[in-house]
Amino acid sequence: MSVTDYGEIVLALQKILGQAYQDSPTILNLAGHSLACKIDPNYYLAVEPAFTQNLAKSGARLPSKVRTALLHTGNILTLGPAKDWVLTIGVSANGGKGKIKACFMNAEFVDRALILYGGRISGLEVSDLRIQRRYQAPLAKAFEGKTPLHEMAFDSEPEE
């Protein structure tokens, strides 16, 4: 029986992500167009299943193997008592609003990929994408025991 080296898989995924960013920087941080946007200094919000499917296709791996590696290494967060990793979340950017299915990724995974393989000297700045304010309380509960989302991750509109 072979043992899966998730760390090795994650390094390969970072290389794929960094090279993809170098080829097309709009894959990250362009609200409404990108696969993932940095929402605060600690987290990216990645559109699912598109993000992991894109990594899987580029790396000739099954999407389930990519998700498993990212989950086992803590690069995709599991949240709340149900340990959900994909949530439907209301977001806003550039005056528009909508709902997306997304996961939270540790910023270190993405930023390190960009520094090592994407030609950047630092990680990305926080994007214009914001989570709608009404999701702040439920997400605070879901993030218990983890580094909470920063206030900047949420839009400035009052709850409806």
Side-chain angles (χ1 to χ4, degrees), residues 2-4 21 41 45 52 54 61 65 68-70 79-80 102 105 109 116 118 123 131 135 141-143 148 160:
S2 65
V3 175
T4 302
Y21 176 82
L45 192 62
T52 52
N54 186 279
R61 297 181 189 273
K65 296 285 185 190
T68 299
L70 293 173
L79 300 170
M105 300 194 63
F109 167 78
L116 292 176
I131 299 169
Y135 291 86
K141 284 185 180 183
F143 270 79
E160 295 175 358

Side-chain angles (χ1 to χ4, degrees), residues 12-13 16-17 19-20 51-61 66:
L13 295 173
I16 290 163
L17 182 59
Q19 290 172 339
F51 184 83
T52 52
Q53 286 177 343
N54 186 279
L55 278 179
K57 182 178 179 184
S58 298
R61 297 181 189 273
V66 169

Side-chain angles (χ1 to χ4, degrees), residues 137-154:
L139 285 171
K141 284 185 180 183
F143 270 79
E144 282 181 4
K146 296 179 175 23
T147 302
L149 290 166
H150 191 280
E151 176 67 25
M152 72 174 51
F154 299 94

Side-chain angles (χ1 to χ4, degrees), residues 64-151:
S64 61
K65 296 285 185 190
V66 169
R67 282 183 210 104
T68 299
L70 293 173
L71 285 164
H72 276 285
T73 56
N75 288 300
I76 290 178
L77 275 64
T78 55
L79 300 170
K83 300 293 184 193
D84 293 324
W85 62 276
V86 175
L87 304 171
T88 300
I89 300 171
V91 294
S92 61
N94 309 316
K97 290 184 177 189
K99 285 188 177 182
I100 61 171
K101 288 187 178 186
C103 69
F104 289 91
M105 300 194 63
N106 278 319
E108 185 178 323
F109 167 78
V110 178
D111 290 342
R112 185 169 169 82
L114 300 180
I115 293 166
L116 292 176
Y117 306 107
R120 291 194 48 95
I121 58 170
S122 66
L124 295 175
E125 296 296 319
V126 173
S127 75
D128 293 334
L129 185 70
R130 297 291 178 265
I131 299 169
Q132 292 175 7
R133 180 73 52 188
R134 69 175 169 247
Y135 291 86
Q136 188 170 14
L139 285 171
K141 284 185 180 183
F143 270 79
E144 282 181 4
K146 296 179 175 23
T147 302
L149 290 166
H150 191 280
E151 176 67 25

Side-chain angles (χ1 to χ4, degrees), residues 8-19:
E8 184 178 304
I9 294 170
V10 165
L11 287 175
L13 295 173
Q14 284 179 312
K15 186 172 186 179
I16 290 163
L17 182 59
Q19 290 172 339

